[in-house]
Structure formats: C-alpha cells, structure tokens
Amino acid sequence: MGLGTPDSPSEPAWLSCADGQQLALTSPFNIGRSSRCRHVLDDAKVSREHTLLELDEVEGHWLVIDLGSTNGTYVNGQRIARPMPLKDGDEIRIGDALLVFHHPSMDPGYAADLTVAAQTEIAIVRKRCWLMIADVVQSTRLIQELPHAEWSAKLRRWVGECEAIVKTSGGLVNEYLGDGLLAFWLDTPAMETRIAHVLRRFGRLESESGLAFRIVCHYGMISVGGGISSGLEKLVGRDLNFVFKVEKTASITGRKISLTEAAARRLSALMELEPTGAFSVPGFEGMHTLFTPLSPTPLQQPADPP
C-alpha cells in the first residue's frame, strides 16, 4: 500500500502531557534526562538522551526514534525498534511519562495508511538509506590463533561498542555478519550531519576489545521489508549488493573508514575527504572511487589480502 500525503504537513504538531502541559514540536525534538534535551524528564528510568521526534519533510509525517535507551520507547503500548511514523492521537510512553502526539491537520486517509503500515507484518517500501558495514580486520587469522572463548568475548565487546554508536544516532543494526554487522539509517532531513558524527565517533573509537576494524559507508536506494515496529526489516536491492562488494575492495586501501562516491558527495560539505583510489567492483561497470576522512585513521593491523 502506498502512503498518501498529509494536507498540511507544515501545520503545527504538539505533545500533551499528563499534567496538562502542551509542548510545541519543532524538528528535531529530543526528550531525555539531560538538561540539553528540549523536554527534560526527571526519571531514573529515562536515559540522558532517550527519544527523538523528527519531521520527515519528504514523506510529510513525524517520526519517533528511540536513541538506544535502556528501557525503550513505547508507542501505543508497543516498544519500537526503528523509526516509527506517528499519527494524531498516538500515545508515547517514556519511562513513567505518557505523552500524546497531536497533529489534527493530518489527512484522515493518510493517518489510516500509517496505521496499516505500522501494523503490517510484511510491507515493502523503497527508501533512500545510509548503509554501513563494520567488520573486524583479519578475523580469520584471529579465529585460528585465539581460544574460542577469548575471541567470542572480544567480538561481543566490539559489537556492543558499534551497536551503541549506531543506536544512539537513530540507526538500526539490521544483520550480524559473523565478524561484523550491517547497519542502516533511513534518510531524513539533516541526516548527513548525523552520519558525519557517526563516522567521527568510529574514527576515534579505540576498541577496548583490542580488535582493529574497518567501516564502509554508502548512500543509496534500497527496498525495506518487514514489520515496521519490529525492526526485523529485510533489506534488498542493487545498492545493498554494491556496498557488500565494496567492503571486500575497501580492504585493499588499508583505511579504517571508506566512503563510496555517493556517500562522499552527501558528506563533502561536512567533512574533509580524500580519494584513496579507483577500483573495479565485481558486477558493477566502470571504476569506483573510494574516499576517507582526512583525519588519520589508518588500521593498526595490515589489511586483509585482496
């Protein structure tokens, strides 16, 4: 089912609180225990930065995003695992606080479409996304050299560090790859700023596990299928295939962070980037240039052999 569009997406939206307070929403609107949040909740069950509400100006609706909180964000009683579209009257629970979302100008048919989409077990939509693969360098050698328990402990610690960066930025870990993971972010306004911050955090990360790793980031169009509120989406499409092929190529560069041309174009105004070479990618015509942030991020171990 295709989603419609609201009659007046620019009309004001707000949250109403149990004590009668009304909070006018301007995008982005973050909620948490930190004094830096737009709405502060003094509740031990609430994380410092717990939930984000953001207007998707392309689709014309508001999204609620859990920022990797410990106790979760709930919409109409269901814990959300990915960005969730909101409709007028939805109840958002954060800790002990119950907030009601209001956007009365939303077209009723559009709101009905959102309800169906949110409850559908399988739905396929085409979305522009940021894709990121993170994987451990020379994992095959490490698996052979390290005792199984030691390798597993190191990998779990590293995965936990990566998950924290992804989830606190509003992304989702979609798949675990044995020695790495695939994460994605639905493209929304100003997402470039968030992705640039994610890349800087990965660039600074010196894993407590002692494992060296590399990151490949791509921007493209993919098909997303699965339960909207479950976070069990199936990602498919040519761009997904491309980023996996590029991940194999990126090992040649010896760089910690590699960006495809599509990602580099979107981030060039926010980060200083340099090309690391042009490469052929199996199954894709022509040569494809990879880029890396100018800040020094060489791998601490030699790259895997091509």
Side-chain angles (χ1 to χ4, degrees):
M1 175 183 294
L3 298 183
T5 55
D7 285 341
S8 305
S10 61
E11 289 295 318
W14 70 92
L15 297 173
S16 60
C17 307
D19 62 2
Q21 182 183 7
Q22 293 189 345
L23 309 172
L25 291 177
T26 55
S27 183
F29 188 95
N30 57 343
I31 302 171
R33 209 173 65 249
S34 170
S35 60
R36 296 192 301 270
C37 291
R38 301 289 298 276
H39 182 54
V40 178
L41 294 174
D42 185 14
D43 182 346
K45 299 177 184 176
V46 175
S47 298
R48 291 183 59 79
E49 293 192 30
H50 196 109
T51 303
L52 177 71
L53 275 73
E54 189 169 67
L55 178 62
D56 183 339
E57 295 180 355
V58 176
E59 298 291 341
H61 58 250
W62 282 85
L63 298 170
V64 58
I65 302 166
D66 184 80
L67 298 177
S69 66
T70 300
N71 293 310
T73 301
Y74 293 78
V75 176
N76 300 326
Q78 298 295 316
R79 184 167 181 167
I80 64 173
R82 55 149 288 171
M84 180 78 173
L86 289 169
K87 65 183 189 303
D88 185 46
D90 277 345
E91 295 183 345
I92 305 168
R93 182 172 293 281
I94 302 169
D96 290 330
L98 182 64
L99 308 170
V100 180
F101 173 79
H102 297 280
H103 193 184
S105 65
M106 179 178 287
D107 175 67
Y110 176 69
D113 280 347
L114 287 181
T115 301
V116 172
Q119 294 175 348
T120 299
E121 285 299 320
I122 299 177
I124 303 294
V125 292
R126 293 267 294 166
K127 290 287 186 180
R128 293 199 174 275
C129 294
W130 290 87
L131 298 165
M132 185 178 294
I133 294 177
D135 71 326
V136 174
V137 173
Q138 294 202 346
S139 59
T140 301
R141 178 180 64 80
L142 293 172
I143 291 171
Q144 294 171 346
E145 293 180 354
L146 296 177
H148 177 73
E150 182 180 350
W151 161 251
S152 296
K154 285 178 176 289
L155 185 63
R156 284 197 302 271
R157 174 167 289 187
W158 174 75
V159 167
E161 294 166 335
C162 293
E163 285 180 332
I165 294 175
V166 170
K167 291 181 179 179
T168 56
S169 63
L172 282 176
V173 175
N174 181 259
E175 187 176 354
Y176 296 93
L177 307 171
D179 61 350
L181 54 86
L182 167 67
F184 79 106
W185 293 255
L186 293 179
D187 193 30
T188 58
M191 181 56 77
E192 292 93 340
T193 301
R194 193 177 302 173
I195 296 299
H197 180 63
V198 167
L199 292 174
R200 291 188 184 101
R201 288 184 66 186
F202 273 113
R204 293 192 299 265
L205 177 62
E206 296 294 337
S207 175
E208 293 183 3
S209 68
L211 298 177
F213 63 93
R214 59 175 164 251
I215 301 292
V216 175
C217 180
H218 177 56
Y219 175 80
M221 180 76 75
I222 62 172
S223 295
V224 183
I228 291 294
S229 62
S230 69
L232 300 177
E233 285 78 5
K234 176 67 175 177
L235 306 184
V236 294
R238 183 172 173 81
D239 278 290
L240 182 67
N241 186 32
F242 179 71
V243 74
F244 273 103
K245 294 291 183 66
V246 168
E247 187 272 330
K248 300 300 182 186
T249 302
S251 65
I252 301 172
T253 70
R255 304 299 296 181
K256 187 175 185 179
I257 298 176
S258 295
L259 282 67
T260 64
E261 293 175 80
R265 282 195 297 270
R266 298 295 299 269
L267 294 169
S268 59
L270 299 170
M271 308 180 76
E272 285 192 89
L273 304 172
E274 65 176 1
T276 56
F279 306 89
S280 61
V281 177
F284 294 84
E285 294 183 0
M287 301 297 286
H288 302 269
T289 303
L290 296 181
F291 296 80
T292 193
L294 272 177
S295 57
T297 53
L299 296 173
Q300 299 304 307
Q301 298 180 26
D304 292 339

